Amino acid sequence: DNAGEYSNSDEDEPEILINGGIHGHEQIAVGLPMKLIEYIITAYGMGDQEVIYLVDNFKLHFMPVINPDGLLLSERYNDNNVDLNRNFDYHWDETEYSSGDYAFDQSESRAVRDDFAQHGYCLSLNMHTAFGWGSSGTNDGGAGIYSSWDGIESDEGGSESTFIETYLPNYLFIEGIGQAYAESVIDSEVWPFDQYFHFQEGADWYPFGGSMADWAMGNYGTVSYSIEVYGEQDFTTDDSYQL
């Protein structure tokens, strides 16, 4: 009965984006936002005070599938063979594999750009799927939560303090949130998450240019985390318990 009261309101609240599926073959990254929508609706209706506070004090936006053509084909790239997470114009690099002919030359990345221009998110949670063997030689596939920057390593300028002062003055705050999130996953004891899940600055995993997270941070000051979820790709099968 009260739906109209809320659908036409434009409250002055911080706006948060939860997105996934920028890489079409990372299907769990699509399942996570969908499952979160289901959880929030159910928990709000059941009177969960934490969820009620979240919904009543923030605007939550969900973009479960940034790359629908890639998802359809279970391919990393879009229908033009472009990696959309290399197609944003912050540190865009033409030498990156499949980054496009120029930044924002793809309709999907432009749609994200236009959405940010309308909402100016304070926080963006970018869901990905990690799988395979990680750089440490363990089968972690990079599972963890990563902060910006993807294009600037944390020893840029010679030391971590120079990096923080020059490139990311609020890094200690961002790191604190990321560490707390990682510890909550570790404490959950959900195998195999709890073995390898960690916080890391993005480029310290591997550096690349043109990422959505760097662009959001660099252009809007949006605190952006890329969350790499361990598992196989099909969120409709055995991996669904992780959601």
Side-chain angles (χ1 to χ4, degrees):
D1 292 342
N2 295 324
E5 176 185 346
Y6 297 104
S7 62
N8 294 320
S9 63
D10 187 15
E11 299 169 288
D12 185 18
E13 296 173 336
E15 301 194 46
I16 296 171
L17 175 64
I18 298 107
N19 69 84
I22 197 168
H23 292 142
H25 69 316
E26 298 180 2
Q27 294 184 10
I28 284 182
V30 175
L32 275 167
M34 297 296 291
K35 193 69 173 180
L36 185 56
I37 293 169
E38 177 186 327
Y39 170 77
I40 287 175
I41 292 172
T42 302
Y44 192 94
M46 294 178 65
D48 184 304
Q49 291 303 305
E50 186 174 8
V51 172
I52 288 173
Y53 178 84
L54 182 68
V55 172
D56 288 354
N57 290 278
F58 297 87
K59 289 182 181 177
L60 304 178
H61 298 253
F62 293 88
M63 194 181 294
V65 188
I66 293 177
N67 181 6
D69 292 323
L71 178 65
L72 179 66
L73 299 172
S74 195
E75 296 284 349
R76 177 182 180 90
Y77 310 105
N78 73 351
D79 206 35
N80 297 323
N81 198 37
V82 171
D83 187 332
L84 296 173
N85 205 35
R86 305 293 189 273
N87 192 239
F88 289 76
D89 73 352
Y90 201 83
H91 293 155
W92 180 82
D93 185 352
E94 64 181 0
T95 67
E96 289 282 359
Y97 183 73
S98 295
S99 60
D101 293 332
Y102 53 89
F104 289 126
D105 70 339
Q106 301 300 300
S107 59
E108 299 94 336
S109 57
R110 290 197 301 272
V112 174
R113 177 194 64 188
D114 295 346
D115 184 67
F116 264 82
Q118 181 178 355
H119 298 289
Y121 299 108
C122 66
L123 174 66
S124 179
L125 302 178
N126 315 305
M127 303 298 181
H128 292 264
T129 308
F131 59 101
W133 288 85
S135 58
S136 63
T138 57
N139 194 27
D140 60 354
I145 177 169
Y146 297 86
S147 71
S148 298
W149 304 102
D150 291 316
I152 307 171
E153 297 181 70
S154 66
D155 60 356
E156 188 85 18
S159 69
E160 184 176 283
S161 60
T162 301
F163 165 79
I164 291 171
E165 180 179 347
T166 306
Y167 298 107
L168 205 59
N170 57 348
Y171 181 71
L172 295 179
F173 170 74
I174 292 170
E175 180 184 41
I177 295 174
Q179 291 281 15
Y181 184 94
E183 289 169 9
S184 74
V185 174
I186 293 169
D187 292 343
S188 71
E189 298 183 353
V190 178
W191 189 89
F193 260 3
D194 56 303
Q195 295 184 93
Y196 308 115
F197 206 85
H198 65 289
F199 168 79
Q200 195 171 6
E201 190 261 343
D204 286 352
W205 181 20
Y206 67 95
F208 64 93
S211 77
M212 176 181 168
D214 277 12
W215 171 81
M217 177 77 81
N219 282 272
Y220 289 95
T222 305
V223 177
S224 297
Y225 294 100
S226 296
I227 301 175
E228 295 276 355
V229 183
Y230 181 93
E232 300 297 333
Q233 297 309 310
D234 187 356
F235 68 84
T236 65
T237 58
D238 293 339
D239 291 315
S240 61
Y241 79 95
Q242 294 185 30
L243 299 183

Coordinates of all heavy atoms in Angstrom, one line a residue, residues 24-84:
G24 N 32.0 -11.7 -18.4 CA 30.8 -12.5 -18.6 C 30.9 -14.0 -18.1 O 29.9 -14.6 -17.8
H25 N 32.2 -14.5 -18.0 CA 32.3 -15.9 -17.6 C 32.4 -16.0 -16.0 O 32.4 -17.1 -15.5 CB 33.6 -16.5 -18.2 CG 34.9 -15.9 -17.7 ND1 35.1 -14.5 -17.5 CD2 36.0 -16.5 -17.3 CE1 36.3 -14.3 -17.1 NE2 36.9 -15.5 -16.9
E26 N 32.4 -14.9 -15.3 CA 32.4 -14.9 -13.9 C 31.0 -14.9 -13.3 O 30.5 -13.9 -12.8 CB 33.3 -13.8 -13.4 CG 34.7 -13.8 -13.8 CD 35.6 -12.7 -13.4 OE1 35.1 -11.8 -12.6 OE2 36.8 -12.6 -13.7
Q27 N 30.4 -16.0 -13.4 CA 28.9 -16.1 -13.1 C 28.6 -15.9 -11.6 O 27.5 -15.4 -11.3 CB 28.4 -17.4 -13.6 CG 28.4 -17.6 -15.1 CD 27.8 -18.8 -15.6 OE1 27.1 -19.5 -14.9 NE2 28.0 -19.2 -16.9
I28 N 29.4 -16.3 -10.7 CA 29.1 -16.1 -9.3 C 29.1 -14.6 -9.0 O 28.3 -14.1 -8.2 CB 30.2 -16.8 -8.4 CG1 29.9 -18.3 -8.4 CG2 30.2 -16.2 -7.0 CD1 30.9 -19.0 -7.5
A29 N 29.8 -13.8 -9.8 CA 29.8 -12.3 -9.6 C 28.4 -11.8 -10.1 O 28.1 -10.6 -9.7 CB 30.9 -11.7 -10.5
V30 N 27.6 -12.5 -10.8 CA 26.3 -12.1 -11.1 C 25.3 -12.6 -10.0 O 24.4 -11.9 -9.6 CB 25.8 -12.7 -12.5 CG1 24.4 -12.4 -12.8 CG2 26.7 -12.1 -13.6
G31 N 25.6 -13.8 -9.6 CA 24.7 -14.4 -8.5 C 24.8 -13.7 -7.2 O 23.7 -13.6 -6.5
L32 N 25.9 -13.1 -6.9 CA 26.0 -12.4 -5.6 C 25.1 -11.2 -5.5 O 24.3 -11.1 -4.5 CB 27.5 -11.9 -5.4 CG 28.4 -13.0 -4.8 CD1 29.9 -12.5 -4.9 CD2 28.1 -13.2 -3.3
P33 N 25.1 -10.3 -6.4 CA 24.1 -9.1 -6.3 C 22.7 -9.6 -6.3 O 21.8 -9.1 -5.6 CB 24.4 -8.3 -7.5 CG 25.8 -8.6 -7.9 CD 26.0 -10.1 -7.6
M34 N 22.3 -10.6 -7.1 CA 21.0 -11.2 -7.1 C 20.6 -11.8 -5.8 O 19.5 -11.5 -5.3 CB 20.8 -12.2 -8.2 CG 21.1 -11.7 -9.6 SD 19.9 -10.4 -10.1 CE 18.4 -11.5 -10.3
K35 N 21.5 -12.5 -5.2 CA 21.2 -13.1 -3.9 C 21.1 -12.1 -2.8 O 20.3 -12.2 -1.9 CB 22.4 -14.1 -3.5 CG 22.0 -15.0 -2.4 CD 20.9 -16.0 -2.7 CE 20.7 -17.1 -1.6 NZ 19.7 -18.1 -2.0
L36 N 21.9 -11.0 -2.9 CA 21.9 -9.9 -1.9 C 20.5 -9.2 -2.0 O 20.0 -8.8 -0.9 CB 23.0 -9.0 -2.2 CG 23.2 -7.8 -1.1 CD1 23.3 -8.4 0.3 CD2 24.4 -7.0 -1.5
I37 N 20.0 -9.0 -3.2 CA 18.7 -8.4 -3.3 C 17.6 -9.2 -2.6 O 16.8 -8.7 -1.8 CB 18.3 -8.2 -4.8 CG1 19.2 -7.2 -5.5 CG2 16.8 -7.8 -5.0 CD1 19.1 -7.2 -7.0
E38 N 17.7 -10.5 -2.9 CA 16.7 -11.4 -2.2 C 16.9 -11.4 -0.7 O 15.9 -11.3 0.0 CB 17.0 -12.9 -2.7 CG 16.1 -13.9 -2.1 CD 16.6 -15.3 -2.5 OE1 17.0 -15.5 -3.7 OE2 16.4 -16.3 -1.7
Y39 N 18.1 -11.4 -0.2 CA 18.4 -11.4 1.2 C 17.8 -10.1 1.9 O 17.2 -10.1 2.9 CB 19.9 -11.5 1.5 CG 20.2 -11.3 3.0 CD1 20.0 -12.3 3.9 CD2 20.8 -10.1 3.4 CE1 20.3 -12.1 5.2 CE2 21.1 -9.9 4.7 CZ 20.9 -10.9 5.6 OH 21.2 -10.6 6.9
I40 N 18.1 -9.0 1.3 CA 17.7 -7.7 1.8 C 16.2 -7.6 1.9 O 15.6 -7.1 2.9 CB 18.3 -6.5 1.0 CG1 19.8 -6.4 1.3 CG2 17.7 -5.2 1.4 CD1 20.6 -5.4 0.5
I41 N 15.5 -8.0 0.8 CA 14.1 -7.9 0.8 C 13.5 -8.8 1.9 O 12.6 -8.4 2.7 CB 13.5 -8.3 -0.6 CG1 13.9 -7.2 -1.6 CG2 12.0 -8.5 -0.5 CD1 13.6 -7.6 -3.0
T42 N 14.0 -10.0 2.0 CA 13.5 -10.9 3.0 C 13.8 -10.5 4.4 O 12.9 -10.5 5.3 CB 14.1 -12.3 2.8 OG1 13.8 -12.8 1.5 CG2 13.6 -13.3 3.8
A43 N 15.1 -10.1 4.7 CA 15.5 -9.6 6.0 C 14.7 -8.4 6.4 O 14.4 -8.2 7.6 CB 17.0 -9.4 6.1
Y44 N 14.5 -7.5 5.5 CA 13.8 -6.2 5.8 C 12.4 -6.6 6.3 O 11.8 -6.0 7.3 CB 13.8 -5.3 4.6 CG 13.3 -3.9 4.9 CD1 14.2 -2.9 5.2 CD2 11.9 -3.6 4.9 CE1 13.7 -1.6 5.5 CE2 11.5 -2.3 5.2 CZ 12.4 -1.3 5.5 OH 12.0 0.0 5.8
G45 N 11.7 -7.5 5.5 CA 10.4 -7.9 5.9 C 10.3 -8.6 7.2 O 9.2 -8.6 7.8
M46 N 11.4 -9.2 7.6 CA 11.4 -10.0 8.9 C 11.8 -9.1 10.0 O 11.9 -9.6 11.2 CB 12.3 -11.2 8.7 CG 11.8 -12.2 7.8 SD 12.9 -13.7 7.6 CE 12.8 -14.3 9.3
G47 N 12.1 -7.9 9.8 CA 12.4 -6.9 10.9 C 13.9 -6.9 11.3 O 14.2 -6.5 12.4
D48 N 14.8 -7.4 10.4 CA 16.2 -7.4 10.8 C 16.7 -5.9 10.9 O 16.7 -5.2 9.9 CB 17.0 -8.1 9.6 CG 18.5 -8.2 9.9 OD1 19.1 -7.2 10.2 OD2 19.0 -9.4 9.9
Q49 N 17.1 -5.5 12.1 CA 17.4 -4.1 12.4 C 18.6 -3.6 11.6 O 18.6 -2.4 11.2 CB 17.6 -3.9 13.9 CG 16.3 -4.1 14.7 CD 15.2 -3.2 14.2 OE1 15.4 -2.0 14.2 NE2 14.1 -3.8 13.9
E50 N 19.6 -4.5 11.4 CA 20.8 -4.0 10.6 C 20.4 -3.7 9.2 O 20.8 -2.7 8.6 CB 21.8 -5.1 10.7 CG 23.1 -4.7 10.0 CD 24.2 -5.7 10.2 OE1 23.9 -6.8 10.7 OE2 25.4 -5.4 9.9
V51 N 19.6 -4.6 8.6 CA 19.1 -4.4 7.2 C 18.2 -3.2 7.1 O 18.3 -2.4 6.2 CB 18.5 -5.7 6.6 CG1 17.9 -5.4 5.3 CG2 19.5 -6.8 6.5
I52 N 17.3 -3.1 8.1 CA 16.4 -1.9 8.1 C 17.2 -0.6 8.1 O 16.8 0.3 7.4 CB 15.4 -2.0 9.3 CG1 14.4 -3.1 9.0 CG2 14.7 -0.7 9.5 CD1 13.5 -3.4 10.2
Y53 N 18.2 -0.6 9.0 CA 19.0 0.7 9.0 C 19.7 0.9 7.7 O 19.7 2.1 7.2 CB 20.1 0.5 10.1 CG 21.0 1.7 10.2 CD1 20.7 2.8 10.9 CD2 22.2 1.7 9.5 CE1 21.5 3.9 11.0 CE2 23.1 2.8 9.5 CZ 22.7 3.9 10.3 OH 23.5 5.0 10.3
L54 N 20.2 -0.1 7.1 CA 20.9 0.0 5.8 C 19.9 0.6 4.7 O 20.2 1.6 4.0 CB 21.5 -1.3 5.3 CG 22.2 -1.3 4.0 CD1 23.6 -0.6 4.2 CD2 22.5 -2.8 3.6
V55 N 18.7 0.0 4.6 CA 17.8 0.4 3.6 C 17.2 1.8 3.9 O 17.0 2.6 2.9 CB 16.6 -0.6 3.5 CG1 15.5 -0.1 2.6 CG2 17.1 -2.0 3.0
D56 N 17.0 2.1 5.1 CA 16.4 3.4 5.5 C 17.3 4.6 5.4 O 16.9 5.7 5.4 CB 15.8 3.3 6.9 CG 14.5 2.4 6.9 OD1 14.1 2.0 5.9 OD2 14.0 2.2 8.0
N57 N 18.7 4.3 5.4 CA 19.6 5.4 5.4 C 20.5 5.5 4.2 O 21.3 6.4 4.2 CB 20.5 5.2 6.7 CG 19.7 5.5 8.0 OD1 19.5 6.7 8.4 ND2 19.2 4.5 8.6
F58 N 20.4 4.6 3.3 CA 21.2 4.6 2.1 C 20.3 4.2 0.9 O 19.3 3.6 1.0 CB 22.4 3.6 2.2 CG 23.4 3.8 3.3 CD1 23.1 3.3 4.5 CD2 24.5 4.6 3.0 CE1 24.1 3.6 5.6 CE2 25.4 4.8 4.0 CZ 25.2 4.3 5.3
K59 N 20.8 4.7 -0.3 CA 20.2 4.3 -1.5 C 21.0 3.2 -2.1 O 22.2 3.4 -2.5 CB 20.1 5.4 -2.5 CG 19.0 6.5 -2.2 CD 19.0 7.6 -3.2 CE 18.0 8.7 -2.9 NZ 18.0 9.7 -4.0
L60 N 20.5 2.0 -2.2 CA 21.2 0.9 -2.8 C 20.8 0.6 -4.2 O 19.6 0.5 -4.6 CB 20.9 -0.4 -1.9 CG 21.1 -0.3 -0.4 CD1 20.7 -1.6 0.2 CD2 22.6 0.0 -0.1
H61 N 21.8 0.6 -5.1 CA 21.6 0.4 -6.5 C 22.3 -0.9 -6.9 O 23.4 -1.2 -6.5 CB 22.2 1.5 -7.3 CG 21.6 2.9 -7.1 ND1 20.7 3.5 -8.0 CD2 21.7 3.7 -6.0 CE1 20.4 4.7 -7.4 NE2 21.0 4.8 -6.3
F62 N 21.6 -1.7 -7.6 CA 22.2 -3.0 -8.1 C 22.3 -3.1 -9.6 O 21.3 -2.7 -10.3 CB 21.3 -4.2 -7.6 CG 21.3 -4.3 -6.1 CD1 20.4 -3.6 -5.3 CD2 22.2 -5.2 -5.5 CE1 20.4 -3.8 -3.9 CE2 22.2 -5.3 -4.1 CZ 21.3 -4.6 -3.3
M63 N 23.4 -3.5 -10.0 CA 23.7 -3.7 -11.5 C 24.3 -5.1 -11.6 O 25.5 -5.2 -11.8 CB 24.7 -2.6 -12.0 CG 24.8 -2.4 -13.5 SD 25.9 -1.1 -13.9 CE 25.1 0.4 -13.3
P64 N 23.5 -6.1 -11.6 CA 24.1 -7.5 -11.5 C 24.9 -7.9 -12.7 O 25.8 -8.7 -12.6 CB 22.8 -8.4 -11.3 CG 21.8 -7.4 -10.8 CD 22.0 -6.1 -11.4
V65 N 24.5 -7.4 -13.9 CA 25.2 -7.8 -15.2 C 25.6 -6.6 -16.0 O 24.7 -6.0 -16.7 CB 24.2 -8.7 -16.0 CG1 25.0 -9.3 -17.2 CG2 23.6 -9.8 -15.1
I66 N 26.9 -6.3 -16.0 CA 27.4 -5.2 -16.8 C 27.6 -5.7 -18.2 O 27.5 -4.9 -19.2 CB 28.6 -4.6 -16.2 CG1 28.3 -3.9 -14.9 CG2 29.3 -3.6 -17.1 CD1 29.5 -3.3 -14.1
N67 N 27.9 -7.0 -18.3 CA 28.3 -7.5 -19.6 C 27.3 -8.7 -20.0 O 27.7 -9.8 -19.9 CB 29.8 -8.1 -19.6 CG 30.3 -8.7 -20.8 OD1 29.6 -8.6 -21.9 ND2 31.4 -9.2 -20.8
P68 N 26.1 -8.3 -20.4 CA 25.1 -9.4 -20.7 C 25.5 -10.3 -21.9 O 25.2 -11.5 -21.8 CB 23.8 -8.6 -21.0 CG 24.3 -7.2 -21.4 CD 25.6 -7.0 -20.7
D69 N 26.1 -9.8 -22.9 CA 26.5 -10.6 -24.0 C 27.6 -11.6 -23.6 O 27.5 -12.8 -24.0 CB 27.0 -9.8 -25.2 CG 25.9 -9.0 -25.8 OD1 24.7 -9.5 -25.9 OD2 26.1 -7.8 -26.2
G70 N 28.5 -11.2 -22.8 CA 29.5 -12.1 -22.3 C 29.0 -13.2 -21.4 O 29.4 -14.3 -21.5
L71 N 28.0 -12.8 -20.6 CA 27.3 -13.8 -19.7 C 26.6 -14.8 -20.5 O 26.7 -16.0 -20.2 CB 26.3 -13.0 -18.8 CG 25.5 -13.9 -17.8 CD1 26.5 -14.6 -16.8 CD2 24.5 -13.1 -17.1
L72 N 25.9 -14.4 -21.6 CA 25.2 -15.3 -22.4 C 26.1 -16.4 -23.0 O 25.7 -17.5 -23.1 CB 24.5 -14.5 -23.6 CG 23.7 -15.3 -24.6 CD1 22.5 -16.0 -23.9 CD2 23.2 -14.4 -25.7
L73 N 27.3 -15.9 -23.4 CA 28.2 -16.8 -24.1 C 29.2 -17.4 -23.1 O 30.1 -18.2 -23.5 CB 29.0 -16.1 -25.2 CG 28.1 -15.5 -26.3 CD1 29.0 -14.6 -27.2 CD2 27.5 -16.6 -27.1
S74 N 29.1 -17.1 -21.8 CA 30.1 -17.4 -20.8 C 31.5 -17.1 -21.2 O 32.5 -17.9 -21.1 CB 30.0 -18.9 -20.5 OG 30.7 -19.2 -19.3
E75 N 31.7 -15.8 -21.7 CA 33.0 -15.3 -22.2 C 33.4 -14.1 -21.3 O 32.5 -13.3 -20.9 CB 32.9 -14.9 -23.7 CG 32.6 -16.0 -24.6 CD 33.8 -16.9 -24.9 OE1 34.9 -16.5 -24.5 OE2 33.7 -18.0 -25.5
R76 N 34.6 -13.9 -21.1 CA 35.1 -12.8 -20.3 C 34.8 -11.5 -21.0 O 34.4 -10.5 -20.4 CB 36.7 -12.9 -20.2 CG 37.3 -11.7 -19.4 CD 38.8 -11.9 -19.4 NE 39.5 -10.8 -18.7 CZ 39.7 -10.8 -17.3 NH1 39.3 -11.8 -16.6 NH2 40.3 -9.8 -16.8
Y77 N 34.9 -11.5 -22.4 CA 34.8 -10.2 -23.1 C 33.4 -10.0 -23.6 O 32.6 -10.9 -23.6 CB 35.8 -10.3 -24.3 CG 37.2 -10.6 -23.9 CD1 37.7 -11.9 -24.1 CD2 38.0 -9.8 -23.1 CE1 39.0 -12.3 -23.7 CE2 39.3 -10.1 -22.7 CZ 39.7 -11.4 -23.0 OH 41.0 -11.7 -22.5
N78 N 33.1 -8.8 -24.0 CA 31.8 -8.5 -24.6 C 31.7 -9.0 -26.0 O 32.6 -9.6 -26.5 CB 31.4 -7.0 -24.4 CG 32.2 -6.1 -25.4 OD1 33.1 -6.6 -26.1 ND2 31.8 -4.9 -25.4
D79 N 30.6 -8.7 -26.7 CA 30.4 -9.2 -28.1 C 31.4 -8.6 -29.1 O 31.5 -9.1 -30.2 CB 29.0 -8.9 -28.5 CG 28.4 -9.8 -29.5 OD1 28.8 -11.0 -29.5 OD2 27.7 -9.4 -30.4
N80 N 32.1 -7.5 -28.7 CA 33.1 -6.9 -29.5 C 34.5 -7.4 -29.1 O 35.5 -6.8 -29.6 CB 33.0 -5.4 -29.5 CG 31.7 -4.9 -30.0 OD1 31.2 -5.4 -31.0 ND2 31.2 -3.8 -29.4
N81 N 34.6 -8.4 -28.3 CA 35.9 -8.9 -27.8 C 36.7 -7.9 -27.0 O 37.9 -7.9 -27.1 CB 36.7 -9.5 -29.0 CG 37.8 -10.4 -28.5 OD1 37.6 -11.2 -27.5 ND2 39.0 -10.3 -29.1
V82 N 36.0 -7.1 -26.3 CA 36.6 -6.1 -25.4 C 36.4 -6.4 -24.0 O 35.3 -6.8 -23.5 CB 36.0 -4.7 -25.7 CG1 36.5 -3.6 -24.7 CG2 36.4 -4.2 -27.1
D83 N 37.5 -6.3 -23.2 CA 37.5 -6.5 -21.7 C 37.0 -5.2 -21.2 O 37.7 -4.2 -21.1 CB 38.9 -6.8 -21.2 CG 38.9 -7.2 -19.7 OD1 38.0 -6.7 -19.0 OD2 39.7 -7.9 -19.3
L84 N 35.7 -5.2 -20.7 CA 35.1 -3.9 -20.2 C 35.8 -3.3 -19.0 O 35.8 -2.1 -18.8 CB 33.6 -4.2 -19.9 CG 32.8 -4.5 -21.1 CD1 31.3 -4.9 -20.7 CD2 32.7 -3.4 -22.2

